[in-house]
Structure formats: structure tokens, C-alpha cells
Amino acid sequence: MKIGVLGSGDVARALAEGFLGHGHEPMLGTRDRAKLEPWVKENPKGASGSFAEAAKFGEVVVLAVKGSVAADVVRAAGIAHLAGKPVIDATNPIADAPPENGVLKFFTSLDESLMERLQREFAGARFVKAFNSVGSASMVNPKFKGGKPTMFICGNDESAKKVVTGILDAFGWETADMGAVEAARAIEPLCILWCIPGFLRQDWVHAFKLLS
Ligand SMILES: NC(=O)c1ccc[n+]([C@@H]2O[C@H](COP(=O)([O-])OP(=O)(O)OC[C@H]3O[C@@H](n4cnc5c(N)ncnc54)[C@H](OP(=O)(O)O)[C@@H]3O)[C@@H](O)[C@H]2O)c1
């Protein structure tokens, strides 16, 4: 598949390399292509472009930018370029204020997640929350002593979630579908929990698993 990845940071690059490793064609989107020149040199099968070029290129699009600018980036990408496409939303609504005792602050509330805001404003895109509850280093082919970790996903469109579940299968995850977009109210804060051992003890290597 052609994958448009909106972003140039750790998450965008980790996922783009994962897509390359699994035989897909990624294009990273950024405001500043110069910063991706070294990445494209190291990954000659990958490409870079503007946010709009990456969104247009992708059959599937990944949103991997700072949470507070996610809506601006989708606007810059052009909603017409996202219409009908699965958009994997890896963002977290992290506020600029520093964490308190290792606990991040969000600019959203427990009654309204970032993905709900995006899905409401950009109704033509099929957002699926995924990859937000683990560090970028473990997003692709995660290896944990406790076995295969669980990726919690949600979104309103069943066919988009099917596409994302296929990607997660290939990347080595089991998927727990938590339902419609409102479930992002619970999935986005998993990022807060995931980060606490990191801020308190420099332990950034772990993932969640749902037991039954
Ligand atoms: N880091 C992780 O391990 C991790 C794990 C799970 C989820 N997440 C979430 O994934 C997202 C990406 O995280 P990240 O650590 O890779 O990078 P990040 O530093 O949170 O975001 C970098 C991206 O945001 C864009 N950006 C920043 N300010 C902007 C502005 N004013 N206008 C337009 N674009 C702007 C940058 O665009 P340019 O390319 O133009 O500079 C860049 O592509 C975040 O929402 C984060 O919370 C991160």
C-alpha cells in the first residue's frame, strides 16, 4: 500500500520504517523537507513531501504530529486528500505544561478526546486511534518477555479498523477494538500511564496487554 505519514518526528519515522520493512511505500509529510533529507538517504525507498503531498499520496494516512497542531496539520494536508481514507491517529493531546510527579497534562477532558474533535471537524476521513499508547521504539515488531502486547484501537468506521488491524497484525500486535470514536477518551490517557515509569525511573520499555 501507499502510506502517507503526516509528520517527521520519532513516531512518523518509526512507522514509516515499519511500513518499508513490511513491503509498503511510505511518504513522510512535513513543513520542512530539508530535515528529512538524511532519512530519505538512509531509506531510499521512502519519500518525503509536504503534508498535502503525503496525504494525497497515501491510500492509508498516518497522523503523527504534535497533538496541539493535529487539526492545523489536517487542514494543511487538505481534507479532500483524506476523504474516505483510513487515517491512523497516533497523536496524544499533551499540554505544554510540564508533567506533575511524572503525570502528563492533557489539553482535552475525559468527556472529549482529541480524536473526537478531529473526527467531528473532518467528517470525511475515517480516523482510527492506534499506536498512541506505546513508545516509538516499540511500535514495530515489539519484543517483550510477557508476549505479544495489545494495541487498543477505536473509530467509527469498521472497514478502516479492519485495515488498521491488518497493519497491527503484520507489525506484531494483538488488537483490542474498543468501539467508536468516544473510546479515544480512554485510549488517549493510556499515554499518561505509559509515560509515568519513564519520567519517574527512566523506564521507557514496556507495553500494555489485555488479559482475559
Ligand atoms: N514519541 C513517542 O514515542 C510517541 C508515542 C506515542 C504517541 N506519540 C504521539 O505521536 C505524535 C508525534 O510524536 P513525535 O514524538 O514523533 O513528534 P512531535 O515532536 O510530537 O511532533 C513532531 C511533528 O509535529 C509537527 N509540528 C510541530 N509543531 C507544528 C506546527 N506549529 N505546525 C505544523 N506542524 C507542527 C512537526 O512538523 P514538521 O515536520 O513540519 O516539523 C513534526 O512533524 C504526538 O502527538 C505524540 O504525542 C508519541
Side-chain angles (χ1 to χ4, degrees), residues 130-131 139 151 153 163-175:
F131 293 109
M139 286 180 176
M151 186 63 73
I153 71 165
V163 171
V164 176
T165 300
I167 291 166
L168 286 164
D169 283 348
F171 281 15
W173 290 86
E174 61 181 31
T175 301

Side-chain angles (χ1 to χ4, degrees), residues 115-116 119-120 123 125-129 154-161 177 179-183:
M115 196 169 85
E116 286 172 273
Q119 186 64 79
R120 196 176 309 121
R126 301 172 179 189
F127 288 94
V128 179
K129 198 91 215 170
C154 69
N156 288 345
D157 190 272
E158 295 304 322
S159 62
K161 286 194 285 192
D177 180 355
V181 66
E182 290 78 11

